[in-house]
């Protein structure tokens, strides 16, 4: 039984190391979301910090449309970060399912 516990502890330590590595990798990625056929694009880091916003000048003539496109571009980028995070964290946990509601990274 002690061997099982030691093996379990080693697996947990390895998974923790993998998670830390995945979190570091995520912090260094950048994803770009766009809306309006590329009229608005927003680049976010893996930690969802806004790095760049590009707005086609023609959009600025209609403030309501600009607001909607900016929100849509941000949501697109955010969804891409979430997908990338899920993929990296899934690989780091070796496919071990996490409890419902538990989000990664912590």
């Amino acid at each position: 039984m002690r061997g099982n516990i030691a093996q379990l502890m080693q697996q947990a330590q390895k998974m923790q190391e993998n998670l830390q590595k995945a979190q570091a990798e995520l912090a260094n990625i950048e994803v770009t979301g766009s809306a309006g056929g590329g009229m608005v694009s927003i680049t976010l880091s893996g930690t969802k910090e806004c790095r760049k916003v590009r707005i086609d000048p023609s959009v600025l003539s209609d403030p309501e449309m600009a607001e909607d496109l900016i929100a849509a571009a941000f949501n697109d980028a955010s969804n891409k970060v979430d997908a990338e995070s899920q993929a990296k964290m899934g690989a780091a946990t070796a496919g071990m399912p996490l409890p419902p509601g538990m989000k990664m990274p912590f």
Side-chain angles (χ1 to χ4, degrees), residues 39-40 55-70:
M39 294 176 75
V40 174
I55 302 172
D56 187 292
S58 66
V59 173
L60 299 175
S61 63
D62 185 349
E64 285 183 29
M65 181 176 73
E67 291 170 359
D68 291 343
L69 290 175
I70 292 167

Side-chain angles (χ1 to χ4, degrees), residues 50-97:
C50 186
R51 297 283 172 91
K52 184 177 178 183
V53 176
R54 192 192 65 72
I55 302 172
D56 187 292
S58 66
V59 173
L60 299 175
S61 63
D62 185 349
E64 285 183 29
M65 181 176 73
E67 291 170 359
D68 291 343
L69 290 175
I70 292 167
F74 181 87
N75 289 336
D76 184 41
S78 179
N79 289 337
K80 288 178 180 179
V81 169
D82 290 343
E84 188 71 27
S85 176
Q86 187 175 12
K88 286 196 182 292
M89 291 302 168
T93 61
M96 186 176 90

Side-chain angles (χ1 to χ4, degrees), residues 4-104:
N4 289 341
I5 292 174
Q7 184 180 13
L8 197 58
M9 292 297 288
Q10 286 178 336
Q11 288 175 340
Q13 184 177 9
K14 179 71 171 166
M15 187 174 75
Q16 183 179 13
E17 291 169 3
N18 290 343
L19 286 173
Q20 289 172 344
K21 182 180 174 187
Q23 287 172 336
E25 289 174 3
L26 279 172
N28 292 324
I29 67 165
E30 287 188 352
V31 298
T32 301
S34 63
M39 294 176 75
V40 174
S41 65
I42 295 180
T43 301
L44 298 179
S45 72
T47 56
K48 294 189 180 180
E49 292 177 3
C50 186
R51 297 283 172 91
K52 184 177 178 183
V53 176
R54 192 192 65 72
I55 302 172
D56 187 292
S58 66
V59 173
L60 299 175
S61 63
D62 185 349
E64 285 183 29
M65 181 176 73
E67 291 170 359
D68 291 343
L69 290 175
I70 292 167
F74 181 87
N75 289 336
D76 184 41
S78 179
N79 289 337
K80 288 178 180 179
V81 169
D82 290 343
E84 188 71 27
S85 176
Q86 187 175 12
K88 286 196 182 292
M89 291 302 168
T93 61
M96 186 176 90
L98 296 173
M102 185 173 185
K103 293 188 176 191
M104 301 293 274

